[in-house]
Coordinates of all heavy atoms in Angstrom, one line a residue:
L7 N -24.9 -123.5 200.1 CA -24.4 -122.8 201.2 C -23.0 -122.3 200.9 O -22.2 -122.9 200.2 CB -24.2 -123.7 202.5 CG -25.5 -124.1 203.2 CD1 -25.2 -125.1 204.3 CD2 -26.3 -123.0 203.6
R8 N -22.7 -121.1 201.5 CA -21.4 -120.5 201.3 C -20.4 -121.2 202.2 O -20.8 -121.6 203.3 CB -21.4 -119.1 201.6 CG -22.2 -118.3 200.6 CD -22.3 -116.8 201.1 NE -22.6 -116.8 202.5 CZ -23.0 -115.7 203.1 NH1 -23.2 -114.6 202.5 NH2 -23.3 -115.8 204.4
P9 N -19.1 -121.4 201.8 CA -18.1 -122.0 202.7 C -18.0 -121.2 204.0 O -18.0 -120.0 204.0 CB -16.8 -121.9 201.9 CG -17.2 -121.6 200.5 CD -18.6 -121.0 200.5
G10 N -18.0 -122.0 205.1 CA -17.8 -121.3 206.4 C -19.1 -120.8 207.1 O -19.0 -120.2 208.1
V11 N -20.2 -120.9 206.4 CA -21.5 -120.4 206.9 C -22.3 -121.6 207.4 O -22.6 -122.5 206.6 CB -22.2 -119.6 205.9 CG1 -23.5 -119.1 206.4 CG2 -21.4 -118.3 205.5
H12 N -22.7 -121.6 208.6 CA -23.6 -122.6 209.1 C -24.9 -122.5 208.4 O -25.4 -121.5 208.0 CB -23.8 -122.4 210.6 CG -24.4 -123.6 211.3 ND1 -25.8 -123.6 211.4 CD2 -24.0 -124.8 211.9 CE1 -26.2 -124.8 212.1 NE2 -25.0 -125.5 212.3
S13 N -25.6 -123.7 208.3 CA -26.8 -123.7 207.5 C -28.0 -122.8 208.1 O -28.9 -122.5 207.4 CB -27.4 -125.2 207.4 OG -27.7 -125.6 208.7
T14 N -27.9 -122.6 209.4 CA -28.9 -121.8 210.0 C -28.6 -120.2 209.9 O -29.5 -119.4 210.3 CB -29.2 -122.1 211.5 OG1 -28.0 -121.9 212.2 CG2 -29.7 -123.6 211.6
E15 N -27.4 -119.9 209.5 CA -27.0 -118.5 209.5 C -27.4 -118.0 208.0 O -27.1 -118.7 207.0 CB -25.5 -118.4 209.7 CG -25.1 -118.7 211.1 CD -23.6 -118.6 211.3 OE1 -22.9 -118.1 210.4 OE2 -23.1 -119.1 212.3
M16 N -27.9 -116.9 208.0 CA -28.2 -116.2 206.7 C -28.0 -114.7 206.9 O -28.4 -114.2 207.9 CB -29.7 -116.6 206.4 CG -30.2 -116.2 205.1 SD -31.9 -116.5 204.8 CE -32.0 -118.2 205.0
S17 N -27.4 -114.1 205.9 CA -27.3 -112.6 206.0 C -28.7 -112.0 206.0 O -29.6 -112.6 205.5 CB -26.4 -112.1 204.8 OG -27.2 -112.1 203.7
V18 N -28.7 -110.8 206.4 CA -29.9 -110.0 206.5 C -30.5 -109.9 205.0 O -31.7 -110.0 204.8 CB -29.8 -108.7 207.2 CG1 -31.0 -107.9 207.0 CG2 -29.4 -108.9 208.6
A19 N -29.5 -109.5 204.1 CA -30.0 -109.4 202.7 C -30.6 -110.7 202.2 O -31.6 -110.6 201.4 CB -28.8 -108.9 201.9
E20 N -29.9 -111.8 202.4 CA -30.4 -113.1 201.9 C -31.8 -113.4 202.5 O -32.6 -113.9 201.8 CB -29.4 -114.2 202.3 CG -28.1 -114.1 201.5 CD -27.1 -115.1 202.0 OE1 -27.1 -115.4 203.3 OE2 -26.2 -115.6 201.2
H21 N -31.9 -113.2 203.8 CA -33.2 -113.4 204.5 C -34.3 -112.5 203.9 O -35.4 -113.0 203.6 CB -33.0 -113.2 206.0 CG -34.3 -113.2 206.7 ND1 -35.0 -114.4 206.9 CD2 -35.0 -112.2 207.2 CE1 -36.1 -114.1 207.6 NE2 -36.2 -112.8 207.8
T22 N -34.0 -111.3 203.7 CA -35.0 -110.3 203.2 C -35.4 -110.7 201.8 O -36.6 -110.7 201.5 CB -34.4 -108.9 203.2 OG1 -34.0 -108.6 204.5 CG2 -35.4 -107.9 202.7
A23 N -34.4 -111.1 201.0 CA -34.8 -111.5 199.6 C -35.6 -112.8 199.6 O -36.6 -112.9 198.8 CB -33.5 -111.7 198.8
R24 N -35.3 -113.7 200.5 CA -36.1 -115.0 200.5 C -37.5 -114.7 201.0 O -38.5 -115.3 200.3 CB -35.4 -116.0 201.4 CG -36.0 -117.4 201.4 CD -35.2 -118.3 202.2 NE -35.9 -119.6 202.3 CZ -35.5 -120.6 203.1 NH1 -34.5 -120.4 203.9 NH2 -36.2 -121.7 203.2
V25 N -37.7 -113.9 202.0 CA -39.0 -113.6 202.5 C -39.8 -112.8 201.4 O -41.0 -113.1 201.2 CB -38.9 -112.8 203.8 CG1 -40.3 -112.3 204.2 CG2 -38.4 -113.7 204.9
T26 N -39.1 -111.9 200.8 CA -39.8 -111.0 199.7 C -40.2 -111.9 198.6 O -41.4 -111.7 198.1 CB -38.9 -110.0 199.2 OG1 -38.5 -109.1 200.4 CG2 -39.5 -109.1 198.2
R27 N -39.4 -112.8 198.1 CA -39.7 -113.7 197.1 C -41.0 -114.6 197.4 O -41.9 -114.8 196.6 CB -38.6 -114.6 196.7 CG -37.6 -114.0 195.8 CD -36.6 -115.0 195.2 NE -36.0 -115.8 196.2 CZ -34.8 -115.5 196.8 NH1 -34.2 -114.4 196.5 NH2 -34.3 -116.4 197.7
L28 N -41.0 -115.1 198.7 CA -42.1 -115.9 199.1 C -43.3 -115.1 199.2 O -44.4 -115.6 198.8 CB -41.8 -116.5 200.5 CG -42.9 -117.4 201.1 CD1 -43.1 -118.6 200.3 CD2 -42.4 -117.9 202.5
Y29 N -43.3 -113.9 199.7 CA -44.5 -113.1 199.7 C -45.0 -112.8 198.3 O -46.2 -112.9 198.1 CB -44.1 -111.7 200.5 CG -45.3 -110.8 200.6 CD1 -46.3 -111.1 201.5 CD2 -45.3 -109.6 199.9 CE1 -47.4 -110.2 201.6 CE2 -46.3 -108.7 200.1 CZ -47.4 -109.0 200.9 OH -48.4 -108.1 201.0
R30 N -44.1 -112.4 197.4 CA -44.6 -112.1 196.0 C -45.2 -113.3 195.4 O -46.2 -113.2 194.7 CB -43.4 -111.5 195.2 CG -43.1 -110.1 195.7 CD -41.9 -109.5 194.8 NE -42.2 -109.7 193.4 CZ -42.5 -108.7 192.6 NH1 -42.4 -107.5 193.0 NH2 -42.7 -108.9 191.3
R31 N -44.5 -114.4 195.5 CA -45.0 -115.7 194.9 C -46.4 -116.0 195.5 O -47.3 -116.5 194.8 CB -44.0 -116.8 195.1 CG -42.9 -116.6 194.2 CD -42.0 -117.9 194.1 NE -42.2 -118.8 195.1 CZ -41.2 -119.1 196.0 NH1 -40.1 -118.5 196.1 NH2 -41.4 -120.1 197.0
S32 N -46.6 -115.8 196.8 CA -47.9 -116.0 197.5 C -48.9 -115.2 196.9 O -50.1 -115.7 196.6 CB -47.8 -115.7 199.0 OG -46.8 -116.6 199.6
L33 N -48.6 -113.8 196.7 CA -49.7 -113.0 196.1 C -50.0 -113.4 194.6 O -51.1 -113.4 194.3 CB -49.1 -111.5 196.1 CG -49.1 -110.9 197.5 CD1 -48.5 -109.5 197.4 CD2 -50.4 -110.9 198.2
K34 N -49.0 -113.8 193.9 CA -49.2 -114.2 192.5 C -50.0 -115.5 192.4 O -50.9 -115.6 191.6 CB -47.9 -114.4 191.8 CG -47.2 -113.0 191.5 CD -45.9 -113.2 190.8 CE -45.3 -111.8 190.5 NZ -44.0 -112.0 189.8
T35 N -49.8 -116.4 193.4 CA -50.6 -117.6 193.4 C -52.0 -117.3 193.8 O -52.9 -117.8 193.2 CB -49.9 -118.6 194.4 OG1 -48.6 -118.9 194.0 CG2 -50.8 -119.9 194.5
A36 N -52.2 -116.4 194.7 CA -53.5 -116.0 195.1 C -54.3 -115.4 193.9 O -55.5 -115.6 193.7 CB -53.5 -115.0 196.3
L37 N -53.6 -114.6 193.2 CA -54.2 -113.9 192.0 C -54.6 -114.9 190.9 O -55.6 -114.8 190.3 CB -53.2 -112.9 191.4 CG -53.7 -112.0 190.3 CD1 -54.9 -111.2 190.8 CD2 -52.6 -111.1 189.9
N38 N -53.9 -116.0 190.8 CA -54.2 -117.1 189.9 C -55.5 -117.8 190.3 O -56.3 -118.2 189.4 CB -53.2 -118.2 189.8 CG -52.0 -117.8 189.0 OD1 -52.1 -117.0 188.1 ND2 -50.8 -118.2 189.4
W39 N -55.8 -117.8 191.5 CA -57.1 -118.5 192.0 C -58.2 -117.5 192.1 O -59.4 -118.0 192.2 CB -56.8 -119.2 193.4 CG -56.0 -120.3 193.2 CD1 -54.6 -120.5 193.5 CD2 -56.4 -121.7 192.8 NE1 -54.2 -121.8 193.3 CE2 -55.2 -122.5 192.8 CE3 -57.6 -122.2 192.4 CZ2 -55.3 -123.8 192.5 CZ3 -57.6 -123.6 192.0 CH2 -56.5 -124.4 192.1
A40 N -58.0 -116.3 192.2 CA -59.0 -115.3 192.5 C -59.9 -115.0 191.2 O -59.3 -114.7 190.1 CB -58.5 -114.0 193.0
I41 N -61.1 -115.1 191.3 CA -62.0 -114.8 190.2 C -62.4 -113.4 190.1 O -62.4 -112.7 189.1 CB -63.3 -115.7 190.3 CG1 -62.9 -117.2 190.1 CG2 -64.3 -115.3 189.2 CD1 -64.0 -118.1 190.4
Q42 N -62.6 -112.8 191.3 CA -62.9 -111.4 191.5 C -61.9 -110.7 192.2 O -61.3 -111.2 193.1 CB -64.3 -111.3 192.1 CG -65.4 -111.9 191.3 CD -66.7 -111.9 192.1 OE1 -66.7 -112.0 193.3 NE2 -67.8 -112.0 191.5
R43 N -61.7 -109.4 192.0 CA -60.7 -108.6 192.6 C -60.9 -108.5 194.1 O -59.9 -108.6 194.9 CB -60.6 -107.2 192.0 CG -59.4 -106.4 192.4 CD -58.2 -107.2 192.1 NE -57.2 -106.4 191.5 CZ -56.0 -106.8 191.1 NH1 -55.7 -108.0 191.2 NH2 -55.2 -106.0 190.5
D44 N -62.1 -108.4 194.6 CA -62.4 -108.3 196.0 C -62.0 -109.6 196.8 O -61.5 -109.6 197.9 CB -63.8 -107.9 196.4 CG -64.8 -108.9 195.8 OD1 -64.6 -109.5 194.8 OD2 -65.9 -109.0 196.4
L45 N -62.1 -110.7 196.1 CA -61.7 -112.0 196.7 C -60.2 -112.0 196.8 O -59.6 -112.5 197.8 CB -62.1 -113.2 195.9 CG -63.6 -113.4 195.8 CD1 -64.0 -114.5 194.8 CD2 -64.2 -113.6 197.1
F46 N -59.5 -111.5 195.8 CA -58.0 -111.4 195.8 C -57.5 -110.5 196.9 O -56.7 -110.8 197.7 CB -57.5 -110.9 194.5 CG -56.0 -110.6 194.6 CD1 -55.0 -111.6 194.7 CD2 -55.6 -109.3 194.6 CE1 -53.7 -111.2 194.8 CE2 -54.3 -108.9 194.7 CZ -53.3 -109.9 194.9
N47 N -58.2 -109.3 197.1 CA -57.8 -108.4 198.1 C -58.0 -109.0 199.5 O -57.1 -108.7 200.4 CB -58.7 -107.1 198.0 CG -58.3 -106.3 196.8 OD1 -57.2 -106.5 196.2 ND2 -59.2 -105.5 196.3
E48 N -59.0 -109.7 199.7 CA -59.2 -110.4 201.0 C -58.1 -111.4 201.2 O -57.6 -111.5 202.4 CB -60.6 -111.1 201.0 CG -60.9 -111.8 202.3 CD -62.4 -112.4 202.2 OE1 -63.3 -111.8 201.6 OE2 -62.5 -113.5 202.8
E49 N -57.7 -112.2 200.2 CA -56.7 -113.2 200.4 C -55.3 -112.5 200.6 O -54.5 -112.9 201.4 CB -56.7 -114.1 199.2 CG -55.7 -115.2 199.3 CD -55.9 -116.2 200.4 OE1 -57.0 -116.2 201.0 OE2 -55.0 -117.0 200.7
A50 N -55.1 -111.4 199.9 CA -53.9 -110.6 200.1 C -53.8 -110.1 201.5 O -52.6 -110.2 202.0 CB -53.8 -109.5 199.1
R51 N -54.8 -109.6 202.1 CA -54.8 -109.2 203.5 C -54.4 -110.3 204.4 O -53.7 -110.2 205.4 CB -56.1 -108.5 203.9 CG -56.2 -107.1 203.3 CD -57.4 -106.4 203.9 NE -58.7 -107.0 203.5 CZ -59.3 -106.7 202.4 NH1 -58.8 -105.8 201.6 NH2 -60.5 -107.2 202.1
R52 N -55.1 -111.5 204.2 CA -54.8 -112.7 205.0 C -53.3 -113.1 204.9 O -52.6 -113.4 205.9 CB -55.6 -113.9 204.6 CG -55.6 -115.1 205.5 CD -56.4 -116.3 204.9 NE -55.7 -116.9 203.8 CZ -54.6 -117.7 204.0 NH1 -54.2 -118.0 205.1 NH2 -54.1 -118.2 202.9
I53 N -52.7 -113.1 203.7 CA -51.3 -113.4 203.5 C -50.5 -112.4 204.2 O -49.5 -112.9 204.9 CB -51.0 -113.5 201.9 CG1 -51.7 -114.6 201.3 CG2 -49.5 -113.4 201.7 CD1 -51.7 -114.6 199.8
R54 N -50.8 -111.2 204.1 CA -50.0 -110.1 204.8 C -50.0 -110.3 206.3 O -49.0 -110.2 206.9 CB -50.5 -108.7 204.4 CG -49.8 -107.6 205.0 CD -48.4 -107.6 204.5 NE -47.6 -106.6 205.2 CZ -46.7 -105.8 204.6 NH1 -46.5 -105.9 203.3 NH2 -46.1 -104.9 205.3
S55 N -51.1 -110.7 206.8 CA -51.2 -110.9 208.3 C -50.4 -112.1 208.7 O -49.8 -112.1 209.8 CB -52.7 -111.1 208.7 OG -53.2 -112.4 208.3
L56 N -50.3 -113.1 207.8 CA -49.4 -114.3 208.2 C -47.9 -113.9 208.2 O -47.2 -114.3 209.1 CB -49.6 -115.4 207.1 CG -51.0 -116.1 207.2 CD1 -51.1 -117.1 206.0 CD2 -51.1 -116.8 208.5
F57 N -47.5 -113.0 207.3 CA -46.1 -112.6 207.3 C -45.9 -111.6 208.4 O -44.9 -111.7 209.0 CB -45.9 -111.9 205.9 CG -45.5 -112.8 204.8 CD1 -46.5 -113.6 204.2 CD2 -44.1 -113.1 204.5 CE1 -46.1 -114.4 203.2 CE2 -43.8 -114.0 203.5 CZ -44.8 -114.7 202.8
E58 N -46.9 -110.8 208.7 CA -46.6 -109.9 209.8 C -46.6 -110.6 211.2 O -45.8 -110.2 212.1 CB -47.8 -108.9 209.9 CG -47.8 -107.9 208.8 CD -46.6 -106.9 208.9 OE1 -46.1 -106.6 210.0 OE2 -46.2 -106.4 207.8
R59 N -47.3 -111.7 211.3 CA -47.3 -112.5 212.6 C -45.9 -113.0 212.9 O -45.5 -113.1 214.0 CB -48.3 -113.6 212.4 CG -48.4 -114.5 213.7 CD -49.3 -115.7 213.6 NE -50.4 -115.6 212.7 CZ -50.9 -116.6 212.1 NH1 -50.5 -117.8 212.3 NH2 -51.9 -116.4 211.3
N60 N -45.1 -113.3 211.8 CA -43.8 -113.8 212.0 C -42.7 -112.9 211.9 O -41.5 -113.2 211.9 CB -43.6 -115.0 211.0 CG -44.5 -116.2 211.3 OD1 -44.5 -116.6 212.5 ND2 -45.3 -116.6 210.3
R61 N -43.0 -111.6 211.7 CA -42.1 -110.5 211.5 C -41.0 -110.4 212.6 O -39.8 -110.1 212.3 CB -42.8 -109.2 211.4 CG -41.9 -108.0 211.2 CD -42.6 -106.7 211.1 NE -41.9 -106.0 210.1 CZ -42.5 -105.3 209.1 NH1 -43.8 -105.3 209.0 NH2 -41.7 -104.6 208.3
D62 N -41.3 -110.6 213.8 CA -40.4 -110.4 215.0 C -39.6 -111.7 215.4 O -39.0 -111.7 216.5 CB -41.2 -109.8 216.1 CG -41.7 -108.4 215.8 OD1 -41.0 -107.7 215.1 OD2 -42.8 -108.1 216.2
L63 N -39.7 -112.7 214.6 CA -39.0 -113.9 215.0 C -37.4 -113.6 215.0 O -37.0 -113.0 214.1 CB -39.3 -115.1 214.0 CG -40.6 -115.7 214.0 CD1 -40.7 -116.8 213.0 CD2 -41.0 -116.2 215.4
T64 N -36.8 -114.2 216.0 CA -35.3 -114.0 216.1 C -34.5 -115.3 216.1 O -33.3 -115.2 215.8 CB -34.9 -113.1 217.3 OG1 -35.5 -113.8 218.5 CG2 -35.6 -111.7 217.3
D65 N -35.2 -116.4 216.4 CA -34.5 -117.6 216.5 C -34.2 -118.1 215.1 O -35.2 -118.4 214.3 CB -35.3 -118.7 217.3 CG -34.7 -120.0 217.3 OD1 -33.4 -120.2 217.1 OD2 -35.4 -121.0 217.6
P66 N -33.0 -118.3 214.7 CA -32.6 -118.7 213.3 C -33.3 -120.0 212.9 O -33.7 -120.2 211.7 CB -31.1 -118.8 213.2 CG -30.6 -118.0 214.4 CD -31.7 -118.1 215.4
L67 N -33.3 -121.0 213.8 CA -33.9 -122.3 213.5 C -35.4 -122.2 213.3 O -35.9 -122.8 212.4 CB -33.6 -123.3 214.6 CG -32.2 -123.7 214.8 CD1 -32.0 -124.6 216.0 CD2 -31.7 -124.4 213.6
K68 N -36.1 -121.4 214.1 CA -37.5 -121.2 213.9 C -37.8 -120.4 212.6 O -38.7 -120.8 211.9 CB -38.1 -120.5 215.1 CG -39.6 -120.4 215.1 CD -40.2 -119.9 216.3 CE -41.7 -120.1 216.3 NZ -42.3 -119.8 217.5
I69 N -37.0 -119.4 212.3 CA -37.1 -118.7 211.0 C -37.0 -119.6 209.8 O -37.8 -119.6 208.9 CB -36.1 -117.6 210.9 CG1 -36.4 -116.5 212.0 CG2 -36.0 -116.9 209.5 CD1 -35.3 -115.4 212.1
Q70 N -36.0 -120.5 209.9 CA -35.8 -121.5 208.7 C -37.0 -122.4 208.7 O -37.5 -122.7 207.6 CB -34.5 -122.3 209.0 CG -33.3 -121.5 208.8 CD -33.0 -121.1 207.4 OE1 -33.4 -121.7 206.5 NE2 -32.5 -119.9 207.2
R71 N -37.5 -122.8 209.8 CA -38.6 -123.8 209.8 C -39.9 -123.1 209.2 O -40.6 -123.6 208.4 CB -38.9 -124.2 211.2 CG -40.1 -125.2 211.3 CD -40.4 -125.7 212.7 NE -40.7 -124.7 213.6 CZ -41.8 -124.1 213.7 NH1 -42.8 -124.4 213.0 NH2 -42.0 -123.1 214.6
V72 N -40.1 -121.9 209.7 CA -41.3 -121.1 209.2 C -41.2 -120.9 207.6 O -42.2 -121.0 206.9 CB -41.5 -119.8 209.9 CG1 -42.5 -118.9 209.3 CG2 -41.9 -120.1 211.4
L73 N -40.0 -120.5 207.2 CA -39.8 -120.3 205.7 C -40.1 -121.6 205.0 O -40.7 -121.6 203.9 CB -38.4 -119.7 205.5 CG -38.3 -118.2 205.7 CD1 -36.8 -117.8 205.6 CD2 -39.1 -117.4 204.7
R74 N -39.5 -122.7 205.5 CA -39.7 -124.0 204.7 C -41.2 -124.4 204.7 O -41.7 -124.8 203.7 CB -38.9 -125.1 205.4 CG -37.4 -125.1 205.0 CD -36.7 -126.4 205.5 NE -36.9 -126.7 206.9 CZ -36.1 -126.3 207.9 NH1 -35.1 -125.5 207.6 NH2 -36.4 -126.6 209.1
E75 N -41.9 -124.2 205.8 CA -43.3 -124.5 205.9 C -44.1 -123.6 204.9 O -45.0 -124.1 204.2 CB -43.8 -124.3 207.3 CG -43.3 -125.4 208.3 CD -43.8 -125.1 209.7 OE1 -44.4 -124.0 210.0 OE2 -43.5 -125.9 210.6
G76 N -43.7 -122.3 204.9 CA -44.4 -121.4 204.0 C -44.2 -121.8 202.5 O -45.1 -121.8 201.7
E77 N -42.9 -122.2 202.1 CA -42.6 -122.6 200.8 C -43.3 -123.9 200.4 O -43.8 -124.0 199.3 CB -41.1 -122.7 200.6 CG -40.4 -121.3 200.6 CD -38.9 -121.3 200.8 OE1 -38.4 -122.4 201.2 OE2 -38.3 -120.3 200.6
A78 N -43.4 -124.8 201.4 CA -44.1 -126.1 201.1 C -45.6 -125.8 200.9 O -46.2 -126.4 200.0 CB -43.8 -127.1 202.2
Y79 N -46.2 -124.9 201.7 CA -47.6 -124.7 201.6 C -47.9 -124.0 200.3 O -48.8 -124.4 199.6 CB -48.0 -123.8 202.8 CG -49.5 -123.4 202.7 CD1 -50.4 -124.3 203.1 CD2 -49.9 -122.1 202.3 CE1 -51.8 -124.0 203.0 CE2 -51.2 -121.8 202.2 CZ -52.2 -122.7 202.6 OH -53.5 -122.4 202.5
L80 N -47.0 -123.0 199.9 CA -47.2 -122.4 198.6 C -47.1 -123.3 197.4 O -47.9 -123.3 196.5 CB -46.2 -121.3 198.5 CG -46.2 -120.5 197.2 CD1 -47.6 -119.7 197.0 CD2 -45.1 -119.5 197.1
K81 N -46.2 -124.2 197.5 CA -46.0 -125.3 196.5 C -47.3 -126.1 196.4 O -47.7 -126.5 195.3 CB -44.8 -126.1 196.8 CG -44.5 -127.1 195.6 CD -43.2 -127.8 195.9 CE -42.9 -128.7 194.7 NZ -41.6 -129.4 194.9
S82 N -47.9 -126.4 197.5 CA -49.1 -127.2 197.5 C -50.3 -126.5 196.9 O -51.3 -127.1 196.5 CB -49.4 -127.8 198.9 OG -50.0 -126.7 199.7
K83 N -50.3 -125.2 196.9 CA -51.4 -124.3 196.5 C -51.3 -123.8 195.0 O -52.1 -123.0 194.6 CB -51.6 -123.1 197.4 CG -52.0 -123.6 198.8 CD -53.4 -124.2 198.7 CE -53.9 -124.6 200.1 NZ -55.1 -125.3 200.0
Q84 N -50.2 -124.3 194.3 CA -50.0 -123.8 193.0 C -51.2 -124.1 192.0 O -51.8 -125.2 192.1 CB -48.7 -124.4 192.4 CG -47.5 -123.9 193.0 CD -47.3 -122.4 193.0 OE1 -47.4 -121.8 191.9 NE2 -47.0 -121.8 194.1
H85 N -51.6 -123.2 191.2 CA -52.7 -123.3 190.3 C -52.2 -124.3 189.1 O -51.1 -124.1 188.7 CB -53.1 -122.0 189.7 CG -54.4 -122.0 189.1 ND1 -54.6 -122.5 187.8 CD2 -55.6 -121.6 189.5 CE1 -55.9 -122.4 187.5 NE2 -56.5 -121.9 188.5
P86 N -53.0 -125.2 188.7 CA -52.6 -126.1 187.6 C -52.5 -125.4 186.2 O -51.8 -125.9 185.4 CB -53.7 -127.1 187.5 CG -54.9 -126.5 188.2 CD -54.4 -125.6 189.2
D87 N -53.2 -124.3 186.1 CA -53.1 -123.5 184.8 C -52.9 -122.0 185.2 O -53.8 -121.3 185.1 CB -54.3 -123.7 184.0 CG -54.3 -123.1 182.6 OD1 -53.2 -122.9 182.1 OD2 -55.3 -122.8 182.0
P88 N -51.7 -121.6 185.6 CA -51.5 -120.2 186.1 C -51.7 -119.2 184.9 O -51.4 -119.5 183.8 CB -50.1 -120.2 186.6 CG -49.4 -121.4 186.0 CD -50.5 -122.4 185.7
W89 N -52.1 -118.0 185.4 CA -52.3 -117.0 184.4 C -50.9 -116.4 184.0 O -50.1 -116.2 184.9 CB -53.1 -115.8 185.1 CG -53.3 -114.7 184.2 CD1 -54.3 -114.6 183.2 CD2 -52.6 -113.4 184.2 NE1 -54.2 -113.3 182.6 CE2 -53.2 -112.7 183.2 CE3 -51.6 -112.9 185.0 CZ2 -52.7 -111.3 182.9 CZ3 -51.1 -111.7 184.7 CH2 -51.7 -110.9 183.7
T90 N -50.7 -116.2 182.8 CA -49.5 -115.6 182.3 C -49.8 -114.4 181.4 O -50.7 -114.6 180.4 CB -48.6 -116.6 181.5 OG1 -49.4 -117.2 180.5 CG2 -48.0 -117.7 182.4
P91 N -49.3 -113.3 181.6 CA -49.6 -112.2 180.7 C -49.0 -112.3 179.3 O -48.0 -113.0 179.1 CB -48.9 -111.0 181.4 CG -47.8 -111.6 182.2 CD -48.3 -113.0 182.6
I92 N -49.7 -111.8 178.4 CA -49.3 -111.8 177.0 C -48.7 -110.5 176.7 O -49.3 -109.5 176.8 CB -50.5 -112.1 176.0 CG1 -51.1 -113.5 176.3 CG2 -50.0 -112.0 174.6 CD1 -52.4 -113.7 175.6
L93 N -47.4 -110.6 176.4 CA -46.7 -109.3 176.2 C -46.3 -109.1 174.7 O -46.0 -110.0 174.0 CB -45.4 -109.2 177.0 CG -45.7 -109.4 178.5 CD1 -44.3 -109.5 179.2 CD2 -46.4 -108.2 179.1
G94 N -46.4 -107.9 174.2 CA -45.9 -107.6 172.9 C -46.8 -108.1 171.8 O -46.3 -108.2 170.6
T95 N -48.1 -108.3 172.0 CA -48.9 -108.8 170.9 C -49.7 -107.7 170.2 O -50.3 -108.0 169.2 CB -49.9 -109.9 171.4 OG1 -50.7 -109.2 172.4 CG2 -49.2 -111.1 172.0
W96 N -49.6 -106.5 170.7 CA -50.3 -105.4 170.1 C -49.5 -104.2 170.2 O -48.7 -104.0 171.1 CB -51.7 -105.2 170.6 CG -51.7 -105.1 172.1 CD1 -51.8 -106.1 173.0 CD2 -51.7 -103.9 172.9 NE1 -51.8 -105.5 174.3 CE2 -51.7 -104.2 174.2 CE3 -51.6 -102.5 172.5 CZ2 -51.7 -103.2 175.2 CZ3 -51.6 -101.6 173.5 CH2 -51.6 -102.0 174.9
R97 N -49.7 -103.2 169.3 CA -49.0 -101.9 169.4 C -49.9 -100.8 168.9 O -50.9 -101.1 168.1 CB -47.7 -102.0 168.7 CG -47.9 -102.0 167.2 CD -46.5 -101.8 166.5 NE -45.9 -103.1 166.2 CZ -45.2 -103.4 165.2 NH1 -44.9 -102.4 164.4 NH2 -44.7 -104.6 165.0
I98 N -49.7 -99.7 169.3 CA -50.4 -98.5 169.0 C -49.6 -97.7 167.9 O -48.4 -97.4 168.2 CB -50.7 -97.6 170.2 CG1 -51.6 -98.4 171.2 CG2 -51.4 -96.3 169.7 CD1 -51.8 -97.6 172.5
E99 N -50.2 -97.4 166.8 CA -49.5 -96.6 165.8 C -50.1 -95.2 165.7 O -51.3 -95.1 165.7 CB -49.7 -97.3 164.4 CG -49.0 -98.6 164.3 CD -49.0 -99.2 162.9 OE1 -49.2 -98.5 162.0 OE2 -48.9 -100.5 162.8
V100 N -49.2 -94.3 165.7 CA -49.6 -92.9 165.7 C -49.1 -92.3 164.4 O -47.9 -92.4 164.1 CB -49.1 -92.1 166.9 CG1 -49.4 -90.6 166.8 CG2 -49.5 -92.7 168.2
S101 N -50.0 -91.7 163.7 CA -49.6 -91.1 162.4 C -49.5 -89.6 162.6 O -50.3 -89.0 163.2 CB -50.6 -91.5 161.3 OG -51.8 -91.0 161.6
A102 N -48.4 -89.1 162.1 CA -48.2 -87.6 162.2 C -48.9 -86.9 161.1 O -48.7 -87.3 159.9 CB -46.7 -87.3 162.2
K103 N -49.7 -85.9 161.3 CA -50.4 -85.2 160.3 C -50.1 -83.7 160.3 O -49.9 -83.1 161.3 CB -51.9 -85.4 160.4 CG -52.3 -86.8 160.0 CD -53.8 -86.9 159.9 CE -54.2 -88.3 159.4 NZ -55.5 -88.5 159.1

């Protein structure tokens, strides 16, 4: 916490960043579990609806509680062997003629 800021107070930018990180991590976790793209798309719509349901919350205590619950739920759903992209293992060579 920053000095002089109550634990339930959060700037709009901090709040937006925290919610965005939770949303992106939720989608990435869903992608780890999805075998087929249509299953992922269905889960992504469900996740979006959960975030939209809480979009208009204004009570700082309730917002904090919902975020903590969402982060705890996400932690419980982590894949034991998450997918990680392999970067930089191949390249295309173009020869000039």
